[in-house]
């Protein structure tokens, strides 16, 4: 029973409120929980849990009596098109609200926490696309009108007076700026109210100033001083510039939203893998096609040839090959028969299967993959702090540069001075929008984690992905990590005068009554050899030592050397051979018949085929490999010698594995821990990066930052390659953003005008600003093709 009362729990409800984001959380499916001042709080994601642990009072102090509230998250009614959907900001994952809208911090369009399968329409993209095409229709004649003037063609002068032409421009530009650009003004005003200046602050100020100045020139031209007038005495109009800038920013938004939609394609592809229905078998063996949501644990399901397996389960009848490339990345189908586990969304081959559902709905591996990928894509990498810190000063600095630019041109610029000053200041505001800077990290994280998911690499957080590139030490468990985790009878040896088949038959028969893992290996070996089983009586198990009994009337003992000593059996003649087997990394079992030593059985957990290749690659990359195992030192050292492992820590308890990791961290090493069992969980949590093998336990996977679905150590090397490529992509994006602004702001401000005569038209500045954002996204999308 939980201690204390969670004040965030609604009366009579079955859910709790996440104190960070205010989402309703079912305790059974919570991503984590934390006790604070006698109360237990539940969290929708590891990100919210970490934020709360770091500063609980920050989220509790502002909470009204009815429940907690996040300091930034905003709840709004959902539009009918996306009823109930939770949306978040890709740059600020703490923002969560019901339904789409702009981020209150950066103004960027929010996107669903979990993307749909691709059939749903993106309301933000639809709205921006509609505004773009309508605005373009009004802007084209405005642009052509200005082009005629630039080329010196005065054909319109005989038809329309200059005053009429000004009103024509006003009528064409007004719907573009005020309707097409309304979202930008709305978000810019919100940024000023919240004192969180962002790219929309600059866009709204730049286009708004150009449009307002032009309107004033049409309605009250006499207000403008001489320095604002052209050679003919007319006040300058910027209708075309404000309209074209608006259209180009809209185009940039459309391209960006489409690219961001493509970046979330990994999750949509995963969601589309699950079949919508399942063929359920009832108690009378009748088959019924039911929705996948109706399947419950324990149901029997038939999977026909070529169909997708609906849920995670165990095969009870039939045999077939199953294409598991969805979760393992391996194209070769795996044979599955009665007793084998199968994973939902994988594809059945030519045979038929009847399986018992084990995990359904949110508990399936596919659902967990989607959840992990979504959380990782919304998490923030430490490198993002650099961009955040710069962005917090960037917009105020741009406003200051724009003001200085206006003042400098107004003081020493050519006539008309104020007109030139105005254009230069608007160009600075438009071209310096920090959209590319803000997108550089989150878009690369989104694409990188999605690419990992398609290769069977599940990354729980962006921090784990970034840290993976810096590891210099890898701690690995032995059983199930370096080895298959399935002990097998690999060798046997008989004493002089003992018939080999008889010794094996008697040991096999006696061990059938035991539940020990070594017994299972001996029994499996006997079955492989097609040995007949004898009748067992007087069976007795000696914990930690072996078993005793009679087989077909003969007294038989199977167990350790201490068991032989206790039973007074002189096993000395076999000890030399037993030592030799042990030094080769095998576990030795003694067999005695009628009180006399009869032979030895050697059981070993075979190494994974990929282990040697993986460790060789780690050494090539300069990574020190340490084995931490609870197995005997003799066995561990034998395997370490065979594989070339650098250091061995054997005969460890679970908490001692964590101590090994702490010792290495105290030496200044960046440590990754790979394991698959419950006993590995403390070390996985302690390591800088915990790596769980998907073939292992749920506890291990919950404790780790990265899960390898296939359970292949080579996946660690692939994860490191993905980490390095993603960080390299982030650095490239940040460079593009910084270099772009470093070059474009001076150009827009007119720094090069005195020497080269270079001035930047605000329309060109707008196009360049949009291009910078799209180029950053395009660069990040290259990660989708990364070979792993």
């Amino acid at each position: 029973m939980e201690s204390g009362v969670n004040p965030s729990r609604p009366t009579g409800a079955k859910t709790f409120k996440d104190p960070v984001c205010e989402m309703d959380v079912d305790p059974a499916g919570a991503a984590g929980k934390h006790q604070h001042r006698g109360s237990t709080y539940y969290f929708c994601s590891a990100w919210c849990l970490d934020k709360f642990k770091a500063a609980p009072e920050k989220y509790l102090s502002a909470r009204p009596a009815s429940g907690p509230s996040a300091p930034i998250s905003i709840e709004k009614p959902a539009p009918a098109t996306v009823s109930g959907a939770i949306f978040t900001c890709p740059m600020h994952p703490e923002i969560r609200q019901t339904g789409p809208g702009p981020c209150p911090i950066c103004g960027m369009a929010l996107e669903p926490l979990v993307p749909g399968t691709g059939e749903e329409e993106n309301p933000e993209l639809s709205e921006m696309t509609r505004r773009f095409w309508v605005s373009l229709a009004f802007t084209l004649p405005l642009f052509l009108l200005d082009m005629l003037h630039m080329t010196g063609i005065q054909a319109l002068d005989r038809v329309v007076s200059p005053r009429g032409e000004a009103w024509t421009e006003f009528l064409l530009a007004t719907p573009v700026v005020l309707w097409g650009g309304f979202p930008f003004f709305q978000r810019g005003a919100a940024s000023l109210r919240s004192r969180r200046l962002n790219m929309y602050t600059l866009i709204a100020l730049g286009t708004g100033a150009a449009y307002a100045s032009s309107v004033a020139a049409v309605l009250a031209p006499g207000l403008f001083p001489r320095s604002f007038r052209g050679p003919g005495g007319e006040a300058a109009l910027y209708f075309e510039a404000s309209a074209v800038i608006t259209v180009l920013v809209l185009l940039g938004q459309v391209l960006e939203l489409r690219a961001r939609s493509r970046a979330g394609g990994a999750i949509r592809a995963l969601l589309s893998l699950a079949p919508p229905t399942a063929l359920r078998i009832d108690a009378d063996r009748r088959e019924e096609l039911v929705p996948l949501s109706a399947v419950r644990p324990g149901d029997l399901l038939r999977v026909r040839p070529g169909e997708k397996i609906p849920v995670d389960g165990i095969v009870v009848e039939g045999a077939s090959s199953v294409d598991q490339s969805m979760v393992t990345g391996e194209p070769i189908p795996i044979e599955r028969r009665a007793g084998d586990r199968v994973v939902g969304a994988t594809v059945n081959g030519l045979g038929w299967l009847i399986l018992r559902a084990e995990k359904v709905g949110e508990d399936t591996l596919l659902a967990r993959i989607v959840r992990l990928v979504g959380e990782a894509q919304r998490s923030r990498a430490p490198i993002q702090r650099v961009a955040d810190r710069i962005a917090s000063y960037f917009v105020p600095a741009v406003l200051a540069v724009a003001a200085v630019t206006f003042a400098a041109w107004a003081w020493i610029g050519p006539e008309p001075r104020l007109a030139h000053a105005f254009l230069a200041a608007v160009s600075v505001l438009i071209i310096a929008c920090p959209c590319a800077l803000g997108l550089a990290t989150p878009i690369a994280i989104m694409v990188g984690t999605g690419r990992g998911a398609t290769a069977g690499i599940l990354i729980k957080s962006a921090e784990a992905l970034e840290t993976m590139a810096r590891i210099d030490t890898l701690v690995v468990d032995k059983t199930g990590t370096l080895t298959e985790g399935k002990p097998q009878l690999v060798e046997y040896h008989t004493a002089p005068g003992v018939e080999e088949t008889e010794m094996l038959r008697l040991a096999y028969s006696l061990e059938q009554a035991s539940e020990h893992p070594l017994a299972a290996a001996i029994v499996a070996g006997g079955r492989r050899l097609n040995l007949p089983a004898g009748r067992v009586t007087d069976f007795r198990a000696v914990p930690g030592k072996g078993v005793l009994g009679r087989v077909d009337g003969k007294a038989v003992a199977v167990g350790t050397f201490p068991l032989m000593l206790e039973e007074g059996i002189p096993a000395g003649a076999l000890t030399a051979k037993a030592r030799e087997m042990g030094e080769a990394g095998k576990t030795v079992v003694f067999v005695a018949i009628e009180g006399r030593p009869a032979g030895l059985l050697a059981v070993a957990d075979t190494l994974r085929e990929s282990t040697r290749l993986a460790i060789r690659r780690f050494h090539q990359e300069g990574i020190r490999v340490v084995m931490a195992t609870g197995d005997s030192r003799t066995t561990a050292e034998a395997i370490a010698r065979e594989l070339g492992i650098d250091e061995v820590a054997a005969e460890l308890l679970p908490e001692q594995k964590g101590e090994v990791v702490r010792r290495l961290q105290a030496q200044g090493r960046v440590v990754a821990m790979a394991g698959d069992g419950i006993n590995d969980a403390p070390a996985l949590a302690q390591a800088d990066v915990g790596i769980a093998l998907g073939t292992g336990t749920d506890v291990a996977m919950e404790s780790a930052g990265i899960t390898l679905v296939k359970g292949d150590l080579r996946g660690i090397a692939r994860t490191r390659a993905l980490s390095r490529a993603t960080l390299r992509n982030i650095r490239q994006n940040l460079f593009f953003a910084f270099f772009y602004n470093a070059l474009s702001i001076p150009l827009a401000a007119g720094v090069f005008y005195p020497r080269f005569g270079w001035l930047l038209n605000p329309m060109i500045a707008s196009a360049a600003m949009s291009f910078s954002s799209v180029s950053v996204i395009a660069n990040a999308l290259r990660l989708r093709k990364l070979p792993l």
Side-chain angles (χ1 to χ4, degrees):
M1 185 174 179
E2 301 293 346
S3 61
V5 178
N6 185 341
S8 66
R9 185 164 192 170
T11 305
K14 294 182 179 180
T15 59
F16 290 84
K17 284 281 189 184
D18 184 320
V20 175
C21 68
E22 289 194 283
M23 286 185 65
D24 289 332
V25 181
D26 184 346
K33 62 182 180 180
H34 180 69
Q35 286 198 346
H36 178 70
R37 293 188 175 180
S39 297
T40 301
Y41 296 87
Y42 293 89
F43 299 87
C44 68
S45 67
W47 186 91
C48 286
L49 173 60
D50 292 340
K51 295 290 284 186
F52 185 80
K53 284 181 177 179
E57 297 305 326
K58 173 182 176 182
Y59 299 101
L60 299 179
S61 59
R63 189 184 67 243
S66 59
S69 63
I72 301 176
S73 296
I74 302 173
E75 293 291 338
K76 296 180 181 177
T81 54
V82 286
S83 177
I86 302 298
F87 282 68
T88 187
C89 175
M91 288 168 58
H92 301 90
E94 66 270 23
I95 299 298
R96 298 190 182 191
Q97 71 176 39
T98 304
C103 172
I105 296 178
C106 66
M108 181 175 287
L110 302 182
E111 55 190 29
L113 273 175
V114 179
T117 58
E119 301 172 0
E120 299 87 353
E121 187 178 32
N122 183 333
E124 178 77 10
L125 176 58
S126 301
E127 178 66 18
M128 287 296 178
T129 302
R130 181 165 55 253
R131 290 180 188 272
F132 167 72
W133 286 112
V134 173
S135 298
L136 181 64
F138 280 92
T139 302
L140 280 176
L142 188 61
F143 180 74
L144 292 174
L145 189 65
D146 189 71
M147 287 296 293
L148 289 174
H149 283 297
M150 291 178 63
T151 55
I153 300 176
Q154 304 296 326
L156 287 176
D157 292 349
R158 293 189 294 270
V159 181
V160 182
S161 67
R163 186 72 177 162
E165 189 175 321
W167 276 99
T168 302
E169 291 187 17
F170 168 73
L171 293 174
L172 288 172
T174 296
V176 177
V177 176
L178 298 187
W179 179 79
F182 177 74
F184 310 140
F185 290 112
Q186 188 181 42
R187 296 171 189 182
S191 74
L192 293 173
R193 286 194 301 270
S194 64
R195 298 180 183 177
R196 296 178 179 272
L197 305 182
N198 54 47
M199 64 179 183
Y200 295 103
T201 314
L202 305 182
I203 293 173
L205 288 174
T207 57
Y211 176 76
S213 170
S214 302
V215 171
V218 171
L219 300 180
L223 296 178
F224 286 80
R226 176 65 189 160
S227 58
F228 247 109
R229 298 173 181 270
E234 72 284 356
L237 299 179
Y238 305 107
F239 285 124
E240 180 213 5
S242 59
V244 172
I245 288 170
T246 301
V247 168
L248 289 173
V249 174
L250 284 168
L251 175 60
Q253 291 287 294
V254 170
L255 295 175
E256 178 186 316
L257 287 166
R258 285 182 178 174
R260 281 165 55 188
S261 178
R262 288 175 61 198
I267 289 184
R268 281 190 296 275
L270 291 169
L271 288 170
S272 66
L273 292 173
T277 59
L279 197 60
R280 185 168 61 188
I281 304 174
D282 63 20
D284 298 325
R285 305 293 290 184
R286 290 178 300 196
E287 297 179 358
E288 177 188 11
L289 195 65
V290 298
L292 195 61
S293 58
V295 177
R296 298 290 179 265
D299 286 351
L300 290 180
L301 307 174
R302 179 185 293 277
V303 184
R304 294 171 294 201
E307 290 185 335
K308 290 182 178 180
I309 294 172
V311 297
D312 298 359
I314 296 179
V315 178
V316 294
E317 290 183 36
S320 183
S321 59
V322 176
D323 179 359
Q324 298 192 139
S325 58
M326 183 276 293
V327 293
T328 65
E330 293 296 322
I332 301 175
I334 307 296
E335 294 297 323
R336 287 291 180 259
R337 49 180 48 85
D340 292 336
R341 295 183 183 276
V342 289
V343 177
T346 55
V347 182
N348 184 29
L350 299 178
W352 59 269
L353 299 171
I354 294 179
L355 60 97
R356 179 180 292 106
E358 269 197 326
K359 295 180 179 180
V360 301
E362 293 299 314
D363 295 328
T364 64
L365 178 61
L366 178 63
R368 290 171 64 188
I369 290 173
V370 170
R371 189 162 59 247
L372 283 171
V373 174
E375 288 179 1
Q377 291 185 342
R378 293 188 299 275
S379 63
R380 313 195 82 185
I383 196 173
Q384 175 71 21
R385 297 181 193 132
V386 177
D388 289 347
R389 194 177 304 116
I390 293 173
S392 65
Y393 298 104
F394 186 76
V395 176
V398 169
L399 293 174
V401 170
V404 170
T405 299
F406 184 89
W409 277 88
W411 181 35
I412 59 173
E415 293 293 345
R417 291 181 179 179
L418 289 184
H420 281 100
F422 183 77
L423 275 178
V426 169
S427 295
V428 169
L429 291 174
I430 296 298
I431 203 167
C433 288
C435 181
L437 180 63
L439 279 173
T441 297
I443 196 70
I445 293 294
M446 178 179 285
V447 180
T449 51
R451 176 65 186 99
T454 60
I457 302 168
L458 307 184
I459 301 163
K460 190 178 289 185
S461 70
E463 183 175 2
L465 180 64
E466 180 175 337
T467 305
M468 193 66 196
R470 298 187 291 108
I471 66 165
D472 54 27
T473 304
L474 174 64
V475 178
V476 292
D477 176 45
K478 180 182 76 71
T479 306
T481 304
L482 299 176
T483 65
E484 295 286 355
K486 299 174 182 178
Q488 297 180 5
L489 179 64
V490 294
E491 187 180 349
Y492 39 85
H493 174 77
T494 55
V498 178
E499 203 274 319
E500 186 179 86
T501 303
E502 180 67 4
M503 184 269 291
L504 290 170
R505 186 185 74 83
L506 295 175
Y508 157 69
S509 301
L510 185 63
E511 290 284 26
Q512 284 191 101
S514 173
E515 297 179 352
H516 195 278
L518 291 180
I522 295 170
V523 170
R527 288 174 180 164
R528 252 191 343 263
L529 295 171
N530 296 318
L531 298 175
R535 180 170 174 269
V536 178
T537 57
D538 302 331
F539 177 83
R540 178 166 61 93
V542 181
K545 294 181 180 178
V547 293
L548 304 165
R550 304 189 77 83
V551 180
D552 295 337
K554 294 181 179 179
V556 180
V558 181
T560 62
F561 183 69
L563 178 66
M564 300 295 116
L565 293 179
E566 286 181 9
E567 296 300 313
I569 300 171
L574 296 173
T575 53
K577 183 64 176 177
R579 189 181 303 111
E580 179 187 329
M581 290 179 169
E583 290 173 352
K586 301 166 186 173
T587 301
V588 181
V589 176
F590 288 81
V591 180
I593 302 173
E594 297 291 4
R596 292 189 299 274
L600 301 170
L601 303 176
V603 175
D605 190 0
T606 56
L607 292 172
R608 294 178 181 269
E609 292 182 8
S610 59
T611 299
R612 287 184 180 83
L613 295 174
I615 291 179
R616 188 179 304 131
R617 182 168 173 179
F618 296 148
H619 285 152
Q620 289 171 351
E621 295 182 3
I623 298 175
R624 181 177 178 81
V625 182
V626 178
M627 183 198 300
T629 178
D631 209 341
S632 70
R633 177 162 295 277
T634 301
T635 302
E637 289 181 346
I639 291 177
R641 283 194 301 271
E642 184 177 354
L643 294 175
I645 290 175
D646 302 295
E647 182 182 336
V648 176
E651 301 174 358
L652 301 175
L653 297 174
E655 59 271 20
Q656 291 174 320
K657 289 187 178 182
E659 291 173 4
V660 170
V661 174
R662 279 191 291 272
R663 173 175 58 81
L664 292 167
Q665 289 172 327
Q667 297 171 5
R669 294 185 173 276
V670 182
V671 181
M673 166 71 191
D676 72 333
I678 293 175
N679 62 330
D680 298 319
L684 289 170
Q686 174 64 39
D688 296 288
V689 183
I691 304 170
L693 305 187
T695 51
T697 65
D698 291 347
V699 175
M701 283 184 267
E702 288 299 322
S703 303
I706 295 172
T707 298
L708 304 179
V709 175
K710 189 186 176 188
D712 185 337
L713 274 185
R714 286 177 298 182
I716 298 176
R718 289 197 292 269
T719 306
R720 198 158 181 264
L722 174 64
S723 173
R724 286 179 160 181
T726 303
L727 284 180
R728 185 166 57 248
N729 193 277
I730 290 172
R731 292 188 186 102
Q732 290 168 351
N733 287 344
L734 290 174
F735 172 78
F736 290 155
F738 288 134
F739 178 78
Y740 164 81
N741 281 306
L743 181 66
S744 61
I745 291 177
L747 180 62
V751 170
F752 302 107
Y753 180 77
R755 183 171 181 82
F756 301 104
W758 294 349
L759 276 178
L760 196 63
N761 188 296
M763 293 183 294
I764 304 301
S766 177
M769 181 270 293
S770 299
F771 174 77
S772 70
S773 299
V774 174
S775 64
V776 163
I777 296 173
N779 185 53
L781 289 174
R782 292 189 306 112
L783 290 171
R784 300 171 71 195
K785 306 296 184 182
L786 182 70
L788 291 176

